[in-house]
Amino acid sequence: MSVDVEATAAAKPASPPPSEGASRSASSQRALRKRERRFLHRDKWWGYALIAPAGLGLAVFYLWPVLQTLYFSFTEWGPFGGTSWIGLENYRTMLHDPEVWQSLGNSLIYTVLVLLGIPVSMVLAVLLNLKGMRGTGFYRTLYFLPVVTMPAAVAVVWRWLYNGDVGILNQALDAIGVDGTYWVSDPGVVRFAVAAVGVWMTVGYNMILLLAGLQGIPQDYYEAASLDGAGRVRQFFSVTLPLLSPTLFFTTVLSVIQSLQVFDLIYMILGANTSVGVTNPAYSEGQTIVMLFFQKSFYDNQRAYGAAIVCVLFVLIMALTALQFRLQKRWVHYD
């Protein structure tokens, strides 16, 4: 019996020492990590290769022009081309240029007036979000049509509507006994006239964004508020506005950026410069900072000065956007 036990023990292979098994496990783990790093390295280069076309286009058509414009703003443009370094002279000239300050003020006034259209967009979005509302698809399309219409075409139509002699707007006012005015050539009302067109063009886009935000609010909140005795108005201010604040913040940021960069719409409404100069007496009251950049760069051949103007606009947009992001902590709710 003892002989069988000893034979069995002798026939059983001896297990490797613990130290040898641990070393094999450590070496296999190192090999596995090495393969993982190799795969990740290969995947990283595949990712770089896939984004390379978009990155190259961004660098060539966006980043390089921005850097080039920044460089030109510190130079003086010769009459036959070529530049010479003059430092901050263009920016010093801008500080004492009343045309720059007036154009900048016109742009800010236009931006504020266009922002007043966001409440209109909210009212339309709330109405289209009501249950049982018929023809919502038709109304959405109707309000969104100005967004997809070319600004030049919109400007031509509204310039005809604003015509002081045969315009439909003045004819409608005459029908109710109100004297109209020359809307796009009256310095006192031209800012409000072009801002009304700006609101008309952006109200549909903002309405679609706000409508998407409204449809993302769970109905449980409204049901709970209704059980607590809250009416429609109370639900709007206590439920809808707080939960819609992220979308409102997004539309506000976009509206500010787009309004400060407006050019073609107002340029076509007021009338472009001609070979004999500006023919609209209210042109300076409606001229935006981008229009001034265009005039200095392509009519007056002061391209370096125009580059300085557009750099100031870029800094202004960045500053206002940063201010909006800073203030949104006080009124935007993400919970």
Side-chain angles (χ1 to χ4, degrees), residues 91-111:
Y91 294 96
R92 295 191 187 99
T93 304
M94 288 177 57
L95 292 176
H96 306 284
D97 190 346
E99 193 174 11
V100 171
W101 290 105
Q102 184 174 11
S103 300
L104 189 60
N106 293 338
S107 296
L108 292 175
I109 293 174
Y110 176 83
T111 300

Side-chain angles (χ1 to χ4, degrees), residues 295-315:
Q295 175 186 336
K296 293 297 182 181
S297 299
F298 299 101
Y299 278 94
D300 300 339
N301 199 29
Q302 301 178 15
R303 299 188 181 183
Y305 190 62
I309 292 175
V310 80
C311 285
V312 170
L313 175 62
F314 176 77
V315 173

Side-chain angles (χ1 to χ4, degrees), residues 108-334:
L108 292 175
I109 293 174
Y110 176 83
T111 300
V112 172
L113 294 176
V114 170
L115 285 176
L116 296 178
I118 293 182
V120 179
S121 302
M122 182 184 298
V123 172
L124 293 175
V126 171
L127 292 177
L128 292 178
N129 196 47
L130 293 176
K131 292 183 178 180
M133 182 71 175
R134 296 183 178 180
T136 55
F138 170 76
Y139 289 114
R140 293 176 190 175
T141 304
L142 183 65
Y143 285 113
F144 197 77
L145 276 178
V147 181
V148 297
T149 306
M150 295 295 295
V154 172
V156 171
V157 172
W158 277 92
R159 188 178 175 87
W160 176 65
L161 294 175
Y162 279 146
N163 189 281
D165 297 323
V166 295
I168 295 179
L169 181 58
N170 278 356
Q171 291 183 9
L173 292 176
D174 291 338
I176 59 177
V178 179
D179 293 332
T181 183
Y182 291 88
W183 300 94
V184 297
S185 58
D186 186 348
V189 300
V190 64
R191 294 170 179 166
F192 302 98
V194 296
V197 182
V199 170
W200 181 77
M201 285 195 65
T202 58
V203 67
Y205 181 76
N206 294 333
M207 180 200 69
I208 293 297
L209 293 177
L210 294 172
L211 184 59
L214 287 173
Q215 294 177 350
I217 299 177
Q219 293 297 321
D220 298 341
Y221 292 102
Y222 294 104
E223 294 175 1
S226 179
L227 292 176
D228 290 338
R232 288 291 182 89
V233 177
R234 182 68 177 181
Q235 291 179 17
F236 178 78
F237 287 100
S238 299
V239 178
T240 304
L241 275 182
L243 296 179
L244 195 62
S245 56
T247 309
L248 282 172
F249 170 67
F250 178 71
T251 56
T252 302
V253 172
L254 284 185
S255 297
V256 170
I257 295 175
Q258 293 173 356
S259 299
L260 287 175
Q261 297 182 90
V262 65
F263 168 71
D264 43 4
L265 177 68
I266 302 180
Y267 187 76
M268 293 293 294
I269 290 179
L270 296 182
N273 288 341
T274 62
S275 58
V276 297
V278 177
T279 58
N280 189 341
Y283 188 88
S284 60
E285 300 297 329
Q287 180 179 239
T288 63
I289 191 69
V290 181
M291 293 169 61
L292 180 63
F293 154 74
F294 181 79
Q295 175 186 336
K296 293 297 182 181
S297 299
F298 299 101
Y299 278 94
D300 300 339
N301 199 29
Q302 301 178 15
R303 299 188 181 183
Y305 190 62
I309 292 175
V310 80
C311 285
V312 170
L313 175 62
F314 176 77
V315 173
L316 177 63
I317 292 175
M318 293 292 292
L320 291 179
T321 304
L323 179 62
Q324 288 178 285
F325 273 90
R326 184 67 180 270
L327 296 178
Q328 59 97 15
K329 299 178 181 178
R330 300 183 180 181
W331 63 279
V332 179
H333 305 277
Y334 293 101

Side-chain angles (χ1 to χ4, degrees), residues 68 71-86 303-304:
Q68 195 175 32
Y71 168 76
F72 286 151
S73 68
F74 297 103
T75 64
E76 182 180 11
W77 196 275
F80 300 102
T83 59
S84 58
W85 184 268
I86 60 173
R303 299 188 181 183

